[in-house]
Every structure is written in structure tokens, then in C-alpha cells.
Amino acid sequence: MSAEAKADSKNARPAPGAGTPATPSGARHAPTHSTPHITSRPASAPLTERQEARRRRILHASAQLASRGGFDAVQMREVAESSQVALGTLYRYFPSKVHLLVATMQDQLEHMHGTLRKRPPAGESAAERVAETLMRAFRALQREPHLADAMVRALTFADRSVSPEVDQVSRQTTVIILDAMGLDDPTPAQLSAVRVIEHTWHSALITWLSGRASIAQVKIDIETVCRLIDLTAPEER
């Protein structure tokens, strides 16, 4: 962990309900059953309109700073100044830079999901649609490499205190994949396949950002792992 990440963790303060990421903005296929892994968001007090506006300013400032200079460019004091909130207020929403950047990733995925739903993937099979969806999301991150690097590094640094924010990233990714599959009620085997696909996508981001994989190789890996979807499809009777 970098010195900055350690410093932020040391200064971490308990976050109120206002620090919990907002519910993804309406997923047409968002599952409604009780599987914890794909619940839209954990129970918490809803934000007021003013709190939500403040939170959005903070996330916007975080993304802008990260886009310009990556992980190290996101300094909590600068985020507070840019979003026009007191430093103490910022820490009440996000106890550390790692909390903030993981929440920023969830927010970016939420925006991607909205874009993807406006232009759904065109593949004939569920595996093809998911692969197309994840590659479109990957290319969106590719256009902002500093931001992508900052968010992925935050996920890597995250400890147990950041579990709620990390879970939100996982939930949002799961909803995106299930939406591409066209599923409201996945089987346990399908959810297991989705988790493996998520892990592969995250690993592909890391290897690409570190220069150890080309976009072509990332595409091959994602298409390969998405074939698990066909293998876990319920047999027709």
C-alpha cells in the first residue's frame, strides 16, 4: 500500500449512512429475489436531496483529479476544495481515499450501465452479449487510463473496512452482466459463472494497466471466460 493510502487509512473516520453509494439508477433486469450478492444496495437511511448533491460533487471531483493524475493525484484536501465541502464533511462521507475511489468506480460503472442500456449488446447468445458488454465497458475505461488505474489500485488496496464499497462495485458489475444475459432469476450455477467472469474482467484490467496484456489478449480472455455462461445454462426439458 502506498504512503498516501496508509495515511488516509490512519485518518479514517466512521462513515454515516450518507457515505453509502446510491442505488444504481434503475436496472430493467435488476433481480428482485433475495440473493444477497445481487441486491441493489444494502439497507441504509436514504440521502436527502442536499446530501445527494454534495455526494455527487465529491465523486465528480474525485474522478476529475484521478483522470488528470491517477491515484496519487487524489488528495482528500483537494477533493474537498474542488467539491466545495469541508474536509471533515468529506471524511464523514468517505473515511479514506480508498473508500472514495472505490465508490467512484461504482459510480462510473453505474453511468456505464445507463449507457449500455440505451444501446444494448447485439450478440445472439448470452455469452456473446456479455462479452460485448464487458469489452465496451473496458474500452470506456481505456479512454481514461489514469482514472482506471486509480480505481483499480483502490480496489487492490481495500481492506475489510472498505467491504461495503467493494460489495457495491461487485453488485453493480453483476447487474450489468445479468442485464446483458437477460436474466432476472439466475441459478446458483449461473451466479457462480458471473463471479468468475467478474474476477477475470478485474484481472484483465490489472494486467492491461500494468502493460502485461494487450487489448487483443484482453478480448480473447473475456470471450473465453464468457463461454461459462453457455455451460451453466439450465437444460431445456
Side-chain angles (χ1 to χ4, degrees), residues 105-183:
M105 185 167 193
Q106 190 275 335
D107 188 59
Q108 293 293 310
L109 287 172
E110 186 177 329
H111 283 297
M112 286 182 197
H113 190 201
T115 301
L116 289 164
R117 290 186 68 227
K118 291 177 182 177
R119 187 165 63 90
E124 293 185 5
S125 70
E128 290 173 342
R129 293 193 299 273
V130 172
E132 179 187 338
T133 293
L134 293 179
M135 283 307 300
R136 283 167 60 183
F138 189 91
R139 291 190 178 98
L141 292 172
Q142 184 187 7
R143 290 191 289 271
E144 295 282 0
H146 291 307
L147 174 59
D149 181 66
M151 296 187 300
V152 170
R153 286 178 65 184
L155 278 176
T156 304
F157 293 152
D159 58 21
R160 290 185 180 182
S161 72
V162 199
S163 291
E165 288 80 6
V166 173
D167 287 347
Q168 280 294 104
V169 170
S170 179
R171 290 185 186 97
Q172 186 65 58
T173 308
T174 298
V175 170
I176 289 172
I177 293 173
L178 292 179
D179 209 8
M181 293 171 67
L183 283 182

Side-chain angles (χ1 to χ4, degrees), residues 1-124:
M1 184 180 293
S2 70
E4 173 65 22
K6 289 180 179 178
D8 280 329
S9 296
K10 184 177 180 181
N11 292 327
R13 304 170 191 178
T20 304
T23 304
S25 55
R28 177 171 45 88
H29 297 299
T32 57
H33 54 79
S34 60
T35 304
H37 186 68
I38 54 178
T39 303
S40 294
R41 64 171 290 176
S44 63
L47 299 180
T48 66
E49 184 175 344
R50 184 176 179 181
Q51 288 172 330
E52 181 59 32
R54 184 183 297 128
R55 183 177 181 278
R56 296 233 55 84
R57 292 201 309 272
I58 292 170
L59 292 173
H60 179 69
S62 170
Q64 281 195 321
L65 289 168
S67 295
R68 291 199 292 265
F71 185 86
D72 292 336
V74 181
Q75 303 294 328
M76 296 296 272
R77 188 171 297 279
E78 290 189 31
V79 172
E81 291 175 356
S82 181
S83 56
Q84 298 180 324
V85 301
L87 185 59
T89 300
L90 172 59
Y91 275 111
R92 286 197 296 272
Y93 278 77
F94 302 102
S96 75
K97 180 167 78 173
V98 171
H99 287 79
L100 173 57
L101 281 169
V102 173
T104 300
M105 185 167 193
Q106 190 275 335
D107 188 59
Q108 293 293 310
L109 287 172
E110 186 177 329
H111 283 297
M112 286 182 197
H113 190 201
T115 301
L116 289 164
R117 290 186 68 227
K118 291 177 182 177
R119 187 165 63 90
E124 293 185 5

Side-chain angles (χ1 to χ4, degrees), residues 135 138 204 207-208 213-223:
M135 283 307 300
F138 189 91
T207 54
W208 172 73
S214 64
I215 297 298
Q217 185 60 57
V218 167
K219 186 173 186 293
I220 291 171
D221 291 349
I222 288 177
E223 289 176 345

Side-chain angles (χ1 to χ4, degrees), residues 37 126-135 170 173-174 176-178 180-181 189-205 218 221-232:
H37 186 68
E128 290 173 342
R129 293 193 299 273
V130 172
E132 179 187 338
T133 293
L134 293 179
M135 283 307 300
S170 179
T173 308
T174 298
I176 289 172
I177 293 173
L178 292 179
M181 293 171 67
Q190 287 172 320
L191 278 177
S192 182
V194 167
R195 285 192 292 272
V196 174
I197 291 168
E198 289 178 20
H199 295 326
T200 301
W201 187 69
H202 180 230
S203 178
L205 275 174
V218 167
D221 291 349
I222 288 177
E223 289 176 345
T224 299
V225 75
C226 284
R227 291 174 192 155
L228 285 174
I229 293 171
D230 296 332
L231 297 177
T232 57

